[in-house]
Amino acid sequence: MADKPTIDTAGLPGRLRALPGLDRLQTAVSGIPAYLVGGAVRDLLLGQPHPDLDVVIEGDVAPVASALGGEAIEHERFQTAKVNLGELTVDLARARAETYAEPGALPEVSPATLQDDLSRRDFTINAMAVPLSGEPELIDPHGGADDLAEGQLRVLHEGSFRDDPTRALRAARYAARFGFELERGTNDLVRGADLRTVSDDRIDAELRRLAVESDPARALVLLREWGVLGMPTDAVPVAGEAIRLLAGPWEGVVDRGDALLAALGRGPAGEQARAAAAGLAEATPERPSQAVQAASGRPGVELVLARAMGAEWLDRYVSELRHVSLEIDGSDLMSEGVSEGPDIGKGLEAALSAKLDGEVSGRSEELKVALAVARGEIPED
Ligand code: ATP
């Protein structure tokens, strides 16, 4: 297990004050019972930055949103608002209680107190609050600070994973991110989480969040150990390697979430991408032109999975070969008398192959090969 985190409760007010945009937020909520909640409080205690602030209001969200220059969205299920304060995004929500009509269903929500709102949360470390007016003392009814100091994740009640099995995915994400363990009872309960009661969209949304963590493979190992998420046998190394590439030399080739979902073979599209990638990974091109022939036109997700499955030659394809283009185009062939039609494409393709393999360089050599092939003087490869 990782070293236990150092929790600085006494330093909380100072860290809170140092948050950019806090002055505006405090002015907007003056006289209104409003609280910073969730991950922002957890990360303030850990002394780590947190990208956005969740604020719970015991009352109407609209006046706070408009005081901040934003607009409340009358959400079909509940009143929320998102406000951009320059460096900081603030999510406002009315304090709510939640009840689950059936396992895995979206909860029914109703206005409630802060205490109710904290009680509906996933883990104790995410169920703390700090008032935004008055003394900024920690409100921690479920012992979140102690669990944080112990480096453990604890659900708030026995039915937590039954109500919302996506919490198992969240548990794996937090355990991997912070190097935390699951508290003993939670560790037993998580193995009973039944993701079949949840829509694929909700599962995939949580998996996408996992994909942008620094070590998603660690989370996948936990999910496999708990037996909550079915996945192909090589999913952990393939996903881990794909994300490592996308966080480094392959950055931008494809969205990390798409790559993770495909590595896990999620849905028909994921299965199809995995199968295509496995086929590509079998290829052993000897010449650059063969590499381009095998890889070009394929979606990024197939490329990165094939590379993660062992096709190292794709590194050169992605960084260099796929960007190679000719100095000539079809109009150059037409001005030499080649008529419009498939011969032009054949000629250009042959010239590109020759260029990729280092057999020609420069415009006139490209044109020579292209014309020869287009006119049928030499066979295409
Ligand atoms: P991150 O988890 O990435 O650090 P965060 O803690 O802000 O960010 P969000 O997913 O944005 O997490 O959710 C905000 C808060 O809402 C959480 O801290 C938690 O208290 C609560 N929450 C989110 N999802 C659930 C869930 N499925 N069940 C119960 N509570 C949840």
Side-chain angles (χ1 to χ4, degrees), residues 188-206:
D188 291 340
L189 292 168
V190 77
R191 291 157 201 268
D194 184 358
L195 281 167
R196 288 171 308 182
T197 64
V198 181
S199 71
D200 282 342
D201 282 356
R202 287 183 60 209
I203 296 172
D204 290 353
E206 277 297 341

Side-chain angles (χ1 to χ4, degrees), residues 29 34 44 276 283 359 364:
V29 299
L44 276 178
E359 291 161 2
S364 65

Side-chain angles (χ1 to χ4, degrees), residues 35-285:
Y35 308 85
L36 191 63
V37 292
V41 177
R42 177 198 70 217
D43 289 346
L44 276 178
L45 288 173
L46 288 172
Q48 293 184 4
H50 191 87
D52 50 21
L53 301 184
D54 282 322
V55 171
V56 158
I57 296 160
E58 287 182 314
D60 210 359
V61 165
V64 180
S66 67
L68 284 170
E71 220 177 289
I73 302 157
E74 289 293 341
H75 198 263
E76 62 212 82
R77 292 174 56 239
F78 217 68
Q79 205 189 43
T80 59
K82 198 184 248 317
V83 187
N84 219 321
L85 295 184
E87 295 165 64
L88 207 66
T89 306
V90 182
D91 281 307
L92 304 168
R94 186 174 188 136
R96 66 173 91 163
E98 291 183 345
T99 48
Y100 291 81
E102 39 185 294
L106 287 175
E108 323 243 309
V109 297
S110 51
T113 61
L114 173 74
Q115 295 292 328
D116 295 321
D117 194 290
L118 295 179
S119 300
R120 71 174 175 86
R121 290 175 183 264
D122 49 1
F123 305 106
T124 61
I125 63 165
N126 285 343
M128 297 179 273
V130 181
L132 286 168
S133 312
E135 278 305 300
E137 60 197 19
L138 186 67
I139 302 172
D140 181 16
H142 304 284
D146 286 347
D147 283 333
L148 201 54
E150 275 303 306
Q152 63 183 8
L153 292 166
R154 182 196 300 267
V155 285
L156 272 58
H157 60 93
E158 287 214 333
S160 185
F161 291 116
R162 187 190 54 231
D163 285 347
D164 181 356
T166 67
R167 291 173 185 160
L169 304 173
R170 298 175 62 84
R173 179 157 65 85
Y174 292 124
R177 184 196 299 173
F178 297 121
F180 284 6
E181 304 274 332
L182 266 58
E183 166 275 330
R184 188 189 295 242
T186 302
N187 193 35
D188 291 340
L189 292 168
V190 77
R191 291 157 201 268
D194 184 358
L195 281 167
R196 288 171 308 182
T197 64
V198 181
S199 71
D200 282 342
D201 282 356
R202 287 183 60 209
I203 296 172
D204 290 353
E206 277 297 341
L207 290 172
R208 284 180 182 281
R209 298 186 67 179
L210 217 163
V212 294
E213 296 282 331
S214 61
D215 190 3
R218 165 92 196 112
L220 295 180
V221 167
L222 291 172
L223 291 170
R224 166 169 283 161
E225 185 188 316
W226 301 337
V228 294
L229 189 72
M231 57 182 92
T233 37
D234 63 352
V236 174
V238 168
E241 180 65 358
I243 301 291
R244 189 190 67 76
L245 291 161
L246 292 171
W250 282 55
E251 192 182 355
V253 171
V254 67
D255 174 77
R256 285 166 66 161
D258 289 346
L260 182 87
L261 293 179
L264 293 173
R266 299 281 306 159
E271 279 174 24
Q272 194 273 330
R274 266 192 72 92
L280 182 60
E282 298 278 299
T284 52

